[in-house]
Amino acid sequence: MKRLRAALRRLVGMFSAGRREQEFASEIEGHLQMHIEDNVRAGMTQEDARRDALLKLGGLEQTRQAYRERGTAPFFETLWQDLRFALRQLGKNPGFTITAVLMLSLGIAASVAIFAFVDAALLRPLPYPNPEGLADVTESAALFPRSNLSYPDYFDWKRMNRSFRSLDAYEGTGYLLSTPSGVEPVAGERVTDGFFHTLGVAPLLGRDFYAGEDLLSAPRTVMLSYSTWQKRFGGRKDIVGQAVSLSGTPYTIVGVMPDSFEFAPHNNAEFWTTMHAGSANECDLRRSCHGMYGVARLKDGVSVAAALADMKAIAEQLERQYPDSNRGQSAVVQPLSELIVGDIRPILLLLLAGAGLLLLIACVNVASLLLVRSESRRREIAVRGALGASPLRLARQFVTEGVLLVFGSSLLGLVCAVFASQALLRLIPFDMLRHMPYLRGLGLNFHVACFALAIAALAAVIFSLTPIVRLSFDEMREGLTEGSRGSAGVLWRRIGANLTVLELAIAVVLLVGAGLLGKSFYHLLHVDLNFQPDHLATLSVSLPDKTYPKEEQIVVARRQLLDRIAALPGVVAVATTSQLPASSNGNTDWIRFVGREYNGKHNEVNERDITANFFSTVKTRLIRGRFFTPDEDGTKPRVVIINQAFVRLYFPNQDPLGARIGDTALSPKSIREIVGVVDDLREASLDQPILPAIYAPADQSPDTYFNVIVRTSQDEKTLLPTIVAAVHEFDPGIGVPDESTILEHINDSQTAYLHRSSAWLVGGFAVMALLLGMIGLYGVIAYSVSQRTREIGVRMALGAQREMVQRMVLKEGGRLAMAGIALGLVCSLAATLLLRSVLFGAQRWDVETLGGVALLLAAAALLASYIPARRAASINPVEALRAE
């Protein structure tokens, strides 16, 4: 306790040092005067008496220092002195301080902002108990490595597997919700009874589904999402047990999910209903009809690889048992986290690598500035060392300055990172963001703070050691003379040159990456759509099953609805399709050709149901044959139109018109005749291949759900409210979700967004890297010129022309630039291996991109070297020689 009180007194003593120094000076002066008077009385002269008194006191300065150390904490006092001195030094050089802080904070902000996304998506575990035990379970086919499950296959997999504690299925759907203001389309999810139990999530209110509650004979029950409970039911605690009408069917509300619950694959679902296989669609009961996905929890000790082997063995057994429906059908088992973040993992890692390279350039630049500054402080440090400052004390001064520099940069960088991450978050389209619930609450959390702290610590170490290593303490003492100046300048030019080559190489890597991503995005936006997407408005239409239970009623309602829309001012043409163009490959059918041998192989093709004027509305060319006629309904012979990909695969060098196709059993109802061939309308997303496709008249297989496409003569977006109003006037019970334009549908797609965002962000990193690299090159050349002032003066005095001097300096910059470009091009060929999965229509060794980057960097390097070269050429030889 006594020691603690003494330490506290010493610490407090630091802050009252001025008053205590005055008191001690008065006291010691009194003691000294008493000794002098005694010596004078003893017969000494005044001078001898003072000298003897000082010797008895042990030296005036030594006594004062001993008193200070007894009254204060020496470490904290010297640290406080170092801090004040460091602040004064940084304040004396505002240009250096501001430049260093801005460059470092820029690198920290970019790295921390991107890491926040990486942490949210890749590092943070899924919000379920023991998330590592959850697996995504689906089927696999030749065209679709991850394809939907059929309900009979799911049922057999659940019964036969030995790897899962539980296996459940889910399927996205939509409902028409009856509200006091009318019918409203809402997103829903059909799940099996153990779905929430498998995830390990319990409801906030009410109960989970009972076992067997998903059977066809069980009562209809539903669970609400938390947001739906709050928005549509006012957060009422008595909501459990109440009824809600979904698509005209009453459901009993049995529970409400907690606010924290999220299921990224279908996170927009408002109502979670039990499966009731067979009630909504006869597809549920057919083994050949695939529409759902599986989620499982692994048994303890069972790996994903072991579960995959188990499911593949079951798939092979089912293939032998059901050769017609299960031919070529295998299984896919992967961690659930891979399903959720697998598509964006390469993009995020790429952006993090780009931000890391930018941070490295910033650190190299600041280290270069510190090296230059240490050269200018050589004499100062040498004088301090000669006056008795220990090497440790001098080193601690450098450490203090480095930590202060990093501290200010880190604070500014963190603030910028928070704003940058929120700005990036707002750029994500809403439809994509709702499938990324892991980004909710994105910001400065523990992981991000630790990452920022690690960067700051590493930067502090680098910036503290840089001047210490550069200025060895023997050289500091030699700095009092002029002899070491030339060698020090040469050594610095070598170090600075190497650092600049590294900076330029990193800038090349980022520029090549940005160039390849930009070229990839350009190719993506210019893929051949084979239709005209401008002036196309689109909306989905959901007819209530209770109002239109028969196919004839659906056909009549659709025709009348299209006639009403076609009569609107500004509408040029209107049509419907079962799936919008440029969406995805899917909704496929297995076909077989009449009159050809069949070996059981699944000939899988995209299948779309369209109205007669669909191709003319979207402006897709007819290659041969004819379009559908408006009267081709269920009473007429069944016909189809095919695309050219279909012709190339199944009718090479043949005329397909008149050929007939059917299902794998060639059932009479499935037989259809090919009457036309159209251009390869892009049904898939922009980066997917065009598959063979068949188009059937919508009136020959009517459905209550379809997409309306409207070609307009004016801005299609402004006409959308009028079109929606016309639909509701026709029948207020019709649901109209997802109104948009085709251009928005394409530009806001996940494929376009990921390519666009990666190109822009890496491009931004590359521009900043180029700017920082040019600053570094300029600094090296300018410092070299300042160190060679005498040499240049001698050259010019001996007759060297200004152009020759300018050319000499430009050559020095050119050598550094060429070395950096060469090293960067070699490194970029290796680094762009990371880009293989995100490039589209561009190779990583693209000669145009590599050559363009080399020319751009060479031109920028020439510009950065020109200013110091011109300054060197303007040196007055007389003044240069006199200054030395």
Side-chain angles (χ1 to χ4, degrees):
M1 185 62 71
K2 291 182 179 179
R3 291 181 180 179
L4 179 60
R5 285 198 294 267
L8 288 174
R9 283 198 301 271
R10 291 175 180 175
L11 189 61
V12 172
M14 288 194 306
F15 303 100
S16 58
R19 179 176 54 82
R20 295 178 65 257
E21 282 281 336
Q22 293 177 358
E23 293 176 355
F24 179 70
S26 300
E27 182 179 349
I28 199 171
E29 186 63 31
H31 282 286
L32 181 65
Q33 195 61 39
M34 288 174 58
H35 283 293
I36 292 173
E37 291 175 357
D38 290 341
N39 289 337
V40 169
R41 281 195 295 269
M44 293 184 182
T45 64
Q46 187 72 22
E47 184 178 348
D48 291 339
R50 183 173 180 81
R51 184 182 302 110
D52 182 71
L54 289 172
L55 290 174
K56 288 180 180 179
L57 286 174
L60 192 60
E61 189 57 39
Q62 289 84 348
T63 302
R64 286 176 177 170
Q65 184 62 31
Y67 175 79
R68 292 191 195 104
E69 293 180 356
R70 285 197 303 270
T72 62
F75 172 79
F76 290 106
E77 184 176 11
T78 54
L79 177 62
W80 179 244
Q81 292 172 355
D82 289 342
L83 283 172
R84 287 183 296 173
F85 184 75
L87 287 172
R88 286 199 301 271
Q89 287 294 319
L90 295 176
K92 283 181 181 178
N93 300 274
F96 159 79
T97 304
I98 293 173
T99 302
V101 167
L102 287 180
M103 283 195 293
L104 185 56
S105 61
L106 177 67
I108 291 175
S111 300
V112 172
I114 298 299
F115 180 80
F117 283 85
V118 172
D119 171 62
L122 306 184
L123 301 183
R124 201 182 303 168
L126 298 179
Y128 312 115
N130 302 316
E132 65 281 354
L134 289 173
D136 170 57
V137 182
T138 61
E139 288 189 319
S140 175
L143 288 179
F144 303 100
R146 179 181 180 269
S147 59
N148 310 71
L149 272 166
S150 70
Y151 184 78
D153 283 347
Y154 153 73
F155 194 78
D156 287 337
W157 284 15
K158 183 174 183 176
R159 176 177 53 86
M160 299 168 66
N161 84 84
R162 299 186 301 274
S163 303
F164 304 133
R165 285 197 297 177
S166 60
L167 172 62
D168 284 276
Y170 60 93
E171 178 185 19
T173 188
Y175 295 107
L176 294 178
L177 175 67
S178 298
T179 67
S181 59
V183 170
E184 184 177 344
V186 293
E189 197 78 12
R190 299 170 65 210
V191 300
T192 50
D193 53 14
F195 177 80
F196 295 109
H197 176 74
T198 294
L199 292 179
V201 180
L204 176 67
L205 284 180
R207 62 170 177 85
D208 199 347
F209 296 127
Y210 291 144
E213 204 166 2
D214 59 347
L215 299 178
L216 186 58
S217 58
R220 301 292 190 270
T221 53
V222 61
M223 297 183 70
L224 308 179
S225 70
Y226 184 87
S227 60
T228 299
W229 177 50
Q230 293 290 323
K231 180 178 67 174
R232 299 189 183 277
F233 301 97
R236 290 162 39 204
K237 296 293 182 65
D238 62 346
I239 194 64
V240 175
Q242 300 296 314
V244 60
S245 177
L246 299 176
S247 298
T249 301
Y251 283 79
T252 301
I253 300 172
V254 297
V256 176
M257 299 309 298
D259 185 31
S260 59
F261 171 68
E262 58 189 49
F263 188 65
H266 294 272
N267 205 51
N268 61 327
E270 295 191 49
F271 296 88
W272 299 77
T273 64
T274 44
M275 184 69 68
H276 295 289
S279 62
N281 195 331
E282 64 175 11
C283 169
D284 291 342
L285 305 180
R286 285 193 287 119
R287 195 174 289 272
S288 61
C289 192
H290 301 253
M292 58 187 63
Y293 297 99
V295 60
R297 185 168 288 278
L298 297 167
K299 290 181 179 178
D300 294 337
V302 177
S303 66
V304 171
L308 176 60
D310 181 22
M311 301 312 296
K312 282 186 173 181
I314 295 174
E316 290 175 2
Q317 182 177 339
L318 293 177
E319 183 178 8
R320 291 190 297 269
Q321 189 173 352
Y322 307 101
D324 181 52
S325 62
N326 285 54
R327 184 184 178 95
Q329 301 291 122
S330 187
V332 172
V333 180
Q334 62 179 346
L336 186 61
S337 59
E338 185 66 24
L339 166 67
I340 294 174
V341 300
D343 290 340
I344 66 171
R345 176 181 282 110
I347 299 293
L348 288 177
L349 293 180
L350 171 68
L351 295 179
L352 185 62
L357 290 176
L358 182 65
L359 175 64
L360 180 58
I361 289 182
C363 288
V364 168
N365 252 358
V366 176
S368 299
L369 289 175
L370 286 170
L371 283 172
V372 173
R373 189 165 176 267
S374 66
E375 289 291 324
S376 65
R377 297 180 64 187
R378 177 180 293 276
R379 180 178 292 274
E380 169 207 330
I381 300 302
V383 170
R384 292 183 64 191
L387 292 176
S390 66
L392 181 62
R393 181 65 185 276
L394 293 173
R396 199 169 75 186
Q397 181 62 49
F398 285 123
V399 172
T400 304
E401 291 181 14
V403 169
L404 270 178
L405 199 62
V406 172
F407 179 75
S409 302
S410 299
L411 285 182
L412 180 59
L414 280 177
V415 172
C416 294
V418 171
F419 285 104
S421 61
Q422 294 303 314
L424 292 175
L425 192 63
R426 284 192 289 271
L427 293 177
I428 301 176
F430 176 75
D431 287 341
M432 282 186 60
L433 192 59
R434 67 185 182 186
H435 294 293
M436 298 177 177
Y438 42 81
L439 295 182
R440 184 168 61 172
L442 179 79
L444 188 62
N445 57 31
F446 179 74
H447 287 172
V448 177
C450 288
F451 178 76
L453 184 62
I455 291 177
L458 182 61
V461 170
I462 293 173
F463 299 155
S464 300
L465 293 180
T466 296
I468 293 174
V469 172
R470 175 67 194 92
L471 294 178
S472 68
F473 295 106
D474 289 337
E475 287 183 348
M476 288 177 189
R477 294 185 177 88
E478 292 173 3
L480 287 169
T481 68
E482 295 294 333
S484 63
R485 178 172 179 173
S487 62
V490 171
L491 180 61
W492 152 242
R493 288 204 301 273
R494 291 176 181 172
I495 296 175
N498 291 333
L499 291 177
T500 300
V501 169
L502 177 62
E503 282 185 84
L504 296 178
I506 296 172
V508 168
V509 172
L510 285 172
L511 285 168
V512 168
L516 291 175
L517 289 170
K519 195 168 188 178
S520 176
F521 182 54
Y522 176 83
H523 286 159
L524 191 75
L525 292 184
H526 289 80
V527 296
D528 223 346
L529 298 174
N530 291 319
F531 73 93
Q532 295 183 17
D534 58 306
H535 291 288
L536 285 181
T538 177
L539 64 152
S540 300
V541 169
S542 181
L543 303 177
D545 294 326
K546 300 292 184 181
T547 307
Y548 306 96
K550 297 180 180 180
E551 292 187 350
E552 296 81 5
Q553 293 174 309
I554 298 174
V555 171
V556 171
R558 175 162 42 202
R559 290 179 177 179
Q560 292 177 349
L561 180 61
L562 296 187
D563 289 342
R564 183 177 290 255
I565 296 175
L568 294 174
V571 172
V572 175
V574 59
T576 74
T577 177
S578 55
Q579 185 164 324
L580 290 176
S583 296
S584 65
N585 288 317
N587 287 353
T588 58
D589 204 357
W590 296 335
I591 64 168
R592 176 180 170 183
F593 297 90
V594 177
R596 291 188 186 181
E597 291 186 3
Y598 181 62
N599 61 1
K601 178 183 177 181
H602 286 167
N603 301 314
E604 193 157 9
V605 297
N606 281 328
E607 196 272 339
R608 304 290 184 262
D609 297 319
I610 61 171
T611 49
N613 61 340
F614 170 77
F615 293 116
S616 59
T617 298
V618 299
K619 297 189 177 180
T620 294
R621 289 188 306 130
L622 177 69
I623 305 300
R624 66 183 71 154
R626 66 174 178 86
F627 287 142
F628 299 137
T629 60
D631 62 342
E632 283 182 311
D633 56 18
T635 65
K636 300 294 191 299
R638 291 182 172 268
V639 292
V640 293
I641 293 173
I642 60 176
N643 65 354
Q644 293 199 84
F646 191 104
V647 176
R648 288 191 296 269
L649 183 60
Y650 297 116
F651 291 92
N653 303 317
Q654 300 177 50
D655 185 2
L657 297 183
R660 294 186 299 161
I661 63 174
D663 59 21
T664 55
L666 289 183
S667 58
K669 188 178 179 180
S670 70
I671 304 298
R672 293 169 284 186
E673 180 184 349
I674 299 174
V675 297
V677 179
V678 294
D679 210 349
D680 285 329
L681 171 69
R682 180 165 290 278
E683 297 287 354
S685 59
L686 300 179
D687 60 348
Q688 289 181 318
I690 294 178
L691 298 184
I694 60 174
Y695 300 89
D699 291 345
Q700 291 188 344
S701 53
D703 190 8
T704 55
Y705 183 89
F706 49 86
N707 298 287
V708 176
I709 295 181
V710 182
R711 180 163 293 280
T712 68
S713 59
Q714 61 189 60
D715 183 2
E716 62 272 32
K717 197 166 186 178
T718 61
L719 199 57
L720 272 171
T722 305
I723 298 172
V724 173
V727 174
H728 285 153
E729 286 176 7
F730 173 76
D731 184 347
I734 295 178
V736 188
D738 304 326
E739 58 264 27
S740 181
T741 70
I742 289 292
L743 286 176
E744 287 177 336
H745 169 71
I746 294 174
N747 293 331
D748 290 343
S749 66
Q750 180 170 327
T751 299
Y753 172 77
L754 291 179
H755 282 81
R756 179 172 62 245
S757 60
S758 58
W760 277 109
L761 286 174
V762 175
F765 295 156
V767 170
M768 289 186 284
L770 177 63
L771 179 61
L772 293 178
M774 293 307 101
I775 292 174
L777 179 62
Y778 168 80
V780 167
I781 302 301
Y783 182 78
S784 175
V785 169
S786 69
Q787 291 294 305
R788 299 173 65 184
T789 301
R790 181 181 177 84
E791 173 197 337
I792 293 172
V794 170
R795 285 176 180 269
M796 297 183 71
L798 293 176
Q801 299 299 313
R802 295 185 183 275
E803 292 78 8
M804 185 182 300
V805 172
Q806 190 168 334
R807 193 160 50 246
M808 177 186 69
V809 177
L810 288 175
K811 281 183 178 179
E812 182 178 358
R815 283 195 299 270
L816 296 179
M818 289 303 104
I821 291 171
L823 178 61
L825 290 177
V826 172
C827 293
S828 64
L829 289 177
T832 49
L833 286 171
L834 291 171
L835 299 178
R836 286 182 300 178
S837 62
V838 295
L839 291 182
F840 179 79
Q843 299 293 333
R844 63 187 186 90
W845 55 81
D846 184 78
V847 176
E848 291 181 359
T849 301
L850 296 176
V853 167
L855 289 176
L856 173 64
L857 203 64
L862 182 66
L863 181 63
S865 305
Y866 175 74
I867 298 176
R870 185 177 180 181
R871 185 179 303 159
S874 63
I875 290 176
N876 188 321
V878 176
E879 293 181 0
L881 294 174
R882 185 183 298 125
E884 292 292 332

